[in-house]
Amino acid sequence: MTNVSVSVNGQLREADVEPRTLLVYFLRETLGLTGTNVGCDTSTCGSCTVLVDGESVKSCTMLTAQADGREVTTIEAMADGDAMHPIQDAFHRNHGLQCGYCTPGMVMAAASYLKENPTPTEEEVREALEGNLCRCTGYQNIVKSILDAAGSMSGATA
């Protein structure tokens, strides 16, 4: 067993884990944070995307031991109480979700991307999302949602 100390959504969490424990399973099974989904288990679909030190990471290919001493943010920390994060609100208003399975990963990937590029073009958003798959093929509204969120986060109206 390996002892890890990880800040998850602002709370220090310590646990003994098997060295091979993937971060997604630590979040879901040890901490009960089931908003992060397991899709492909090979980092292809992006449904397991979380932020590690503010950067998007596919948690199905990162060992929990690699997160030791780092800050992990999951979809559960995006809202502020009852107030949705602007990206979540944009997904809601623009119908950026269909079955919703990919949505947590899309939101987390978008949060990381919009921090890097707060005023993206539609083409740039599409390119940024290439590591996240929507099996319902709802990309049009997902892209629209992210552009809307970029506008509202920068103070402009979309």
Side-chain angles (χ1 to χ4, degrees):
M1 298 297 258
T2 300
N3 184 271
V4 294
S5 178
V6 183
S7 176
V8 179
N9 300 334
Q11 283 191 305
L12 187 61
R13 310 297 292 260
E14 294 186 48
D16 292 323
V17 298
E18 290 284 335
R20 62 184 177 177
T21 303
L22 295 172
L23 182 59
V24 68
Y25 293 109
F26 174 72
L27 295 170
R28 290 182 58 84
E29 296 172 3
T30 304
L31 303 183
L33 298 172
T34 57
T36 303
N37 290 322
V38 179
C40 64
D41 244 352
T42 61
S43 81
T44 302
C45 77
S47 66
C48 65
T49 303
V50 297
L51 303 181
V52 176
D53 296 334
E55 300 286 328
S56 68
V57 168
K58 307 242 176 98
S59 62
C60 75
T61 54
M62 181 176 192
L63 297 171
T64 304
Q66 293 174 298
D68 187 37
R70 300 174 80 179
E71 173 74 35
V72 176
T73 306
T74 69
I75 190 70
E76 285 89 348
M78 293 301 283
D80 183 12
D82 289 337
M84 288 190 280
H85 185 278
I87 297 171
Q88 293 172 308
D89 185 51
F91 269 70
H92 175 74
R93 286 185 287 102
N94 293 288
H95 307 285
L97 51 98
Q98 291 185 21
C99 80
Y101 200 82
C102 70
T103 305
M106 291 284 187
V107 168
M108 300 310 286
S112 177
Y113 179 66
L114 291 178
K115 196 165 27 168
E116 290 172 27
N117 183 0
T119 56
T121 64
E122 179 178 338
E123 184 178 332
E124 290 170 331
V125 169
R126 290 184 183 280
E127 190 172 313
L129 291 179
E130 70 183 359
N132 290 72
L133 300 177
C134 171
R135 293 187 175 135
C136 303
T137 68
Y139 294 105
Q140 184 63 34
N141 287 344
I142 290 169
V143 171
K144 184 178 170 186
S145 299
I146 294 170
L147 290 170
D148 182 6
S152 65
M153 291 167 69
S154 69
T157 53

